[in-house]
Amino acid sequence: MADSLLLLKRVPSRHTWLRARKARPQLILSRRPRRRLRNLRWRSRRRLRRRLLQAQAAGGDWLQGGCLVSGAAALQRLKTSVRRRASSPEPAEDPIPSGPTILPIPPVRPAGPGRAVLLLPLGQGFTFSGICRVTCLYGQVQVFGFTISQGQPAQNVFSTYTHSRLTINAVHYSVHEKSKKEMKREARVLLRPYLNQDDRYCLMSSFSPLCSIVLLERLKTSTVNFIISHPGLSYIFVQEVRTFQINSEYFALRSVGIRREKKKTGLRLTESAFAAMEELVSISSEEVDSCPVILVCGCQDIGKSTFNRYLINQLLNSICCVDYLECDLGQTEFTPPGCISLLNITEPVLGPPFTHQRTPQKMVYYGKTSCKNNFENYIEVIKYVFSSYKREAPLIINTMGWVADQGLLLLIDLIRLLSPSHVVQFNSDRSKHMPDLTPDFVDDMDGLYTRRKSRVRNRGFHLPEFAESLEFADEEKESPVMSTGYKLMFVKSEFVTGKTPRNRESHNRVLRELAVLGYLSQLQPPVPKPLRALHGLTPYQVPFNAVALRIIHADVAPTHILYAVNASWVGLCKILDDVRGYASGPILLAQSPICDCVGFGICRGIDMEKRLYHILTPVPPEELRHVNCLLVGAVSIPQCVLKSQRGLEGTIPYVTTDYNFKLPGASEKIGARESGATYKEKGHPKAKFYRKTY
């Protein structure tokens, strides 16, 4: 018997092969592929075996009688078997799948220059990097928590390399008793203006019920163009990565200006974060008489800002607006750094802070990125800004990441003063231990300026006056300790960040400079007009006796004030005092005022002969009429603005290579910067002074 089998294997007759071909299953090799299989190396055979195992998992039977099949034959036969299965009824004994089948994402189809069409089956997501304009043509998708439905306006999405990549997810939507044929016909009609017949056919071959179709368009904004015009900053939005998968999808996405990324690089939130957001959205949508006040706290780089953006987008799905109180001086969300502000958000937040700089409802320029050594002024500014909250929309309060030692006591003061209804506390295994901020813990703990209930004593300021200004109840006015009755919600964070204790400060400095550049981009004309260099824009001329001056972050001698103001980032503020009536200037303030800030600008130069400040700012003229104070803080102009502007010729103003580092205080901040070109230190008496700029 063994000899006969061996003889049959050695010298097979044609009649024997014909009988075997009729009896063999669909995926058995023919004679020519078997000859090719003998010539394959062991690595190629292992690769082929892996592909065929995948085909078997998909429903094909490729292993019969010890024979392997080729990849091309397996895929072709697999398609044939799938078609036959679809046409033939399923046997009754087959098990019913327990859950819905998640279909793969078909390739992206080009839809003309700078446009592409993406079909997303239900439950699938498309993670990408870059910037684009997203329009939902059919179905419903969700980006960063914000839902984009069919017929809604397109949204600008910024998936940058400084933050986690964003994902376009297909979500469930209601269908009013439509068959698959009707839904397919409707989607085909919507695709006609964008795809040709062949691309429509290929895309619709992957159509399934409850899938969504998205149009991706190339996005150009003045903010993006202005930021990438500076050398070294173009990598933020687009990075050229060597890839070996160059196909039609690669070119389609490249024309849009995005790249497909791995799912693991996308934004990931924990179940506790989603549960907390679901409860907060439900409370905000149901409550009519009062709006929840949500305070978010936790240590640095734990995901508070990401949670706030996602929560804002989730709330905007059900309500028209959300109020936002910014208390983090170093990493502000909607304004340049060093500000405490109150904003009314009506549009989704689909990018990092430097892509959505907005005008606040009320803002105070604190002038520093940290409140250390000046806690009382920090509390007073928050009280002043919070007094403008009208309780007409839910309020989200963002706090600092400093939650140790005095930072924890300051956080307890904020909880007592702002009286939140919900406190969201972030915890992580990677961060330092933070005590649970339960209401009992806060009531039994002394803050910096507030005392626990057993030791009611006011040490910093008059809390009863604060209570009267916020119109609290009479029983709350009698005690300087505010009520801390709130619900504490814990969020377990698994937020992955590239920051380390060694590079955290430099990384944060880059983000702060990007926020300043995002604000300065408002000076640029809208697309498609070309960019204009800052040194080519016409500044405002402000007389010395029209505004008062104050250096917030340092004590500067009156004779050196103008040296500190020149080439500085200045806050344009309104004070109650009338500064008019002075014959000459400059007018100096003895104390830092707590006043409204309408915007920011750059003091391009100072004309000593005409006694004028040259201010470059995007603030409209109708707002500038009310400005009577210039505040200078520790926030500086980005180095790229001074060094890398286009069109500069000759000596660059405010930049010198001849600097004496031996002077007291000269190397405290400048010494760590790059050598070869040193910038004027604010307030330094020996810094070179330029009367005219650029």
Side-chain angles (χ1 to χ4, degrees):
M1 183 67 180
D3 295 336
S4 62
L5 288 177
L6 183 61
L7 181 63
L8 179 63
K9 184 176 181 181
R10 288 179 179 176
V11 191
S13 64
R14 184 172 180 83
H15 182 69
T16 305
W17 277 112
L18 288 177
R19 287 189 302 172
R21 181 177 298 180
K22 293 180 181 179
R24 70 185 177 183
Q26 297 179 357
L27 300 181
I28 294 297
L29 273 178
S30 61
R31 183 185 306 173
R32 185 172 300 175
R34 290 186 63 181
R35 290 175 181 174
R36 294 176 181 174
L37 183 62
R38 296 192 190 102
N39 299 327
L40 293 179
R41 296 183 179 181
W42 67 273
R43 290 186 178 180
S44 301
R45 291 193 179 195
R46 190 174 62 178
R47 190 183 305 113
L48 178 60
R49 182 180 180 85
R50 185 168 58 251
R51 293 181 59 186
L52 295 177
L53 285 174
Q54 295 175 357
Q56 182 188 18
D61 186 11
W62 61 273
L63 187 59
Q64 290 289 340
C67 296
L68 293 176
V69 302
S70 65
L75 295 177
Q76 184 65 27
R77 300 300 178 90
L78 182 61
K79 293 180 181 179
T80 306
S81 63
V82 169
R83 293 196 191 102
R84 291 179 179 178
R85 287 187 183 185
S87 58
S88 61
E90 293 288 335
E93 62 272 15
D94 286 349
I96 300 176
S98 59
T101 303
I102 300 180
L103 302 176
I105 302 176
V108 178
R109 294 291 171 178
R115 297 197 304 183
V117 175
L118 170 66
L119 187 145
L120 287 174
L122 180 63
Q124 286 283 28
F126 176 77
T127 305
F128 70 98
S129 61
I131 58 175
C132 64
R133 192 171 178 85
V134 178
T135 306
C136 186
L137 301 178
Y138 183 83
Q140 188 169 272
V141 296
Q142 193 173 89
V143 183
F144 210 173
F146 183 74
T147 303
I148 307 175
S149 303
Q150 177 181 346
Q152 290 186 352
Q155 298 293 336
N156 298 339
V157 181
F158 303 86
S159 182
T160 64
Y161 285 88
T162 56
H163 295 71
S164 299
R165 314 299 182 266
L166 300 185
T167 303
I168 304 175
N169 294 301
V171 295
H172 188 275
Y173 56 92
S174 59
V175 181
H176 300 287
E177 297 181 358
K178 291 183 180 180
S179 63
K180 181 180 178 180
K181 186 176 182 179
E182 293 175 344
M183 292 188 295
K184 201 169 184 179
R185 185 187 301 114
E186 182 181 355
R188 189 181 294 111
V189 172
L190 294 174
L191 289 175
R192 284 179 182 175
Y194 307 100
L195 298 179
N196 54 36
Q197 186 176 1
D198 295 337
D199 288 335
R200 284 202 311 271
Y201 177 79
C202 294
L203 194 68
M204 296 307 297
S205 61
S206 304
F207 184 87
S208 60
L210 297 179
C211 70
S212 300
I213 302 177
V214 178
L215 176 65
L216 307 175
E217 298 177 278
R218 191 175 187 88
L219 176 62
K220 286 292 185 180
T221 65
S222 57
T223 300
V224 175
N225 293 342
F226 179 73
I227 292 178
I228 65 177
S229 65
H230 299 85
L233 295 182
S234 59
Y235 76 93
I236 295 174
F237 300 101
V238 179
Q239 286 189 3
E240 291 294 336
V241 180
R242 184 178 298 178
T243 178
F244 299 98
Q245 297 181 354
I246 300 179
N247 46 27
S248 59
E249 179 184 85
Y250 169 79
F251 289 107
L253 295 179
R254 185 176 181 179
S255 67
V256 178
I258 62 177
R259 290 182 64 252
R260 183 194 284 264
E261 298 286 349
K262 295 182 180 180
K263 188 177 180 180
K264 64 180 181 181
T265 63
L267 177 65
R268 291 176 293 177
L269 296 177
T270 59
E271 295 182 1
S272 58
F274 283 115
M277 282 188 287
E278 183 179 359
E279 181 177 352
L280 293 173
V281 171
S282 176
I283 294 173
S284 302
S285 304
E286 295 176 357
E287 290 190 6
V288 180
D289 299 334
S290 61
C291 298
V293 177
I294 306 163
L295 187 142
V296 182
C297 61
C299 63
Q300 292 180 342
D301 304 326
I302 202 171
K304 299 190 301 297
S305 299
T306 302
F307 178 86
N308 290 336
R309 297 187 203 112
Y310 206 103
L311 178 58
I312 290 174
N313 294 333
Q314 287 275 293
L315 290 172
L316 291 178
N317 290 331
S318 55
I319 58 179
C320 60
C321 62
V322 180
D323 286 341
Y324 186 86
L325 178 62
E326 182 62 79
C327 299
D328 189 354
L329 298 169
Q331 302 296 330
T332 53
E333 185 68 34
F334 300 100
T335 64
C339 298
I340 295 176
S341 58
L342 177 67
L343 299 96
N344 185 260
I345 309 301
T346 58
E347 297 180 356
V349 183
L350 302 177
F354 53 86
T355 61
H356 49 249
Q357 295 289 299
R358 299 179 182 177
T359 303
Q361 180 180 347
K362 196 177 191 65
M363 177 174 61
V364 173
Y365 184 43
Y366 188 81
K368 293 183 288 187
T369 58
S370 175
C371 66
K372 292 182 179 179
N373 304 324
N374 199 359
F375 303 117
E376 186 173 352
N377 190 34
Y378 175 75
I379 291 290
E380 291 289 345
V381 171
I382 292 180
K383 287 165 50 180
Y384 178 77
V385 175
F386 182 68
S387 62
S388 299
Y389 176 53
K390 304 301 181 183
R391 298 184 181 271
E392 297 176 352
L395 176 66
I396 299 176
I397 303 173
N398 184 36
T399 59
M400 298 183 297
W402 182 35
V403 292
D405 301 329
Q406 291 180 319
L408 179 61
L409 303 182
L410 190 63
L411 178 60
I412 292 175
D413 287 338
L414 290 182
I415 293 176
R416 287 175 177 161
L417 296 178
L418 301 179
S419 299
S421 59
H422 297 78
V423 173
V424 181
Q425 181 177 348
F426 277 74
N427 292 317
S428 174
D429 296 334
R430 298 177 292 103
S431 61
K432 296 181 179 180
H433 176 69
M434 180 181 176
D436 297 342
L437 299 179
T438 61
D440 294 337
F441 176 83
V442 174
D443 288 339
D444 296 337
M445 190 74 177
D446 289 337
L448 284 178
Y449 298 100
T450 59
R451 293 301 175 188
R452 53 189 174 184
K453 289 186 176 181
S454 59
R455 295 175 56 192
V456 175
R457 185 166 58 90
N458 182 12
R459 190 177 67 172
F461 43 82
H462 296 290
L463 290 179
E465 296 179 1
F466 177 52
E468 293 175 1
S469 64
L470 296 181
E471 299 180 359
F472 285 98
D474 294 335
E475 59 272 11
E476 294 177 348
K477 295 180 183 180
E478 297 175 357
S479 174
V481 178
M482 299 300 172
S483 174
T484 56
Y486 56 85
K487 181 176 182 180
L488 180 61
M489 308 173 72
F490 292 102
V491 172
K492 182 70 173 180
S493 175
E494 297 177 359
F495 190 74
V496 179
T497 177
K499 298 181 184 180
T500 62
R502 299 184 63 180
N503 68 358
R504 176 178 287 111
E505 184 58 34
S506 60
H507 192 279
N508 293 339
R509 184 176 65 252
V510 171
L511 295 181
R512 288 194 288 266
E513 291 183 352
L514 288 174
V516 174
L517 291 177
Y519 183 86
L520 291 176
S521 66
Q522 302 177 28
L523 290 165
Q524 300 298 325
V527 175
K529 294 182 179 180
L531 293 176
R532 298 183 61 186
L534 295 182
H535 62 81
L537 301 177
T538 304
Y540 292 96
Q541 295 182 352
V542 183
F544 279 8
N545 59 355
V547 293
L549 295 179
R550 175 65 183 174
I551 310 298
I552 303 175
H553 66 291
D555 295 330
V556 181
T559 55
H560 299 150
I561 287 290
L562 294 182
Y563 291 100
V565 175
N566 197 25
S568 296
W569 181 257
V570 295
L572 310 178
C573 306
K574 300 184 297 183
I575 58 176
L576 299 179
D577 298 336
D578 189 4
V579 299
R580 295 175 298 178
Y582 291 87
S584 61
I587 305 172
L588 306 181
L589 295 177
Q591 295 180 351
S592 300
I594 298 178
C595 56
D596 293 346
C597 180
V598 300
F600 297 91
I602 297 176
C603 183
R604 271 191 45 177
I606 300 176
D607 193 334
M608 296 299 297
E609 296 177 359
K610 299 181 180 179
R611 309 187 72 77
L612 295 174
Y613 304 110
H614 292 181
I615 305 296
L616 192 63
T617 177
V619 179
E622 54 271 15
E623 291 289 338
L624 290 177
R625 294 190 182 97
H626 306 289
V627 173
N628 58 359
C629 179
L630 301 180
L631 298 181
V632 180
V635 180
S636 59
I637 302 173
Q639 298 182 7
C640 57
V641 174
L642 296 175
K643 291 179 55 179
S644 308
Q645 287 195 59
R646 297 180 179 179
L648 286 177
E649 297 179 359
T651 304
I652 302 177
Y654 307 107
V655 179
T656 180
T657 57
D658 184 15
Y659 191 85
N660 187 4
F661 286 96
K662 295 182 180 179
L663 294 173
S667 61
E668 181 180 356
K669 295 181 180 179
I670 305 180
R673 297 181 180 177
E674 54 186 333
S675 60
T678 306
Y679 301 93
K680 175 184 77 69
E681 176 70 3
K682 299 176 183 179
H684 200 283
K686 298 297 182 180
K688 191 174 181 180
F689 175 70
Y690 291 82
R691 188 181 64 188
K692 295 183 180 179
T693 61
Y694 307 106

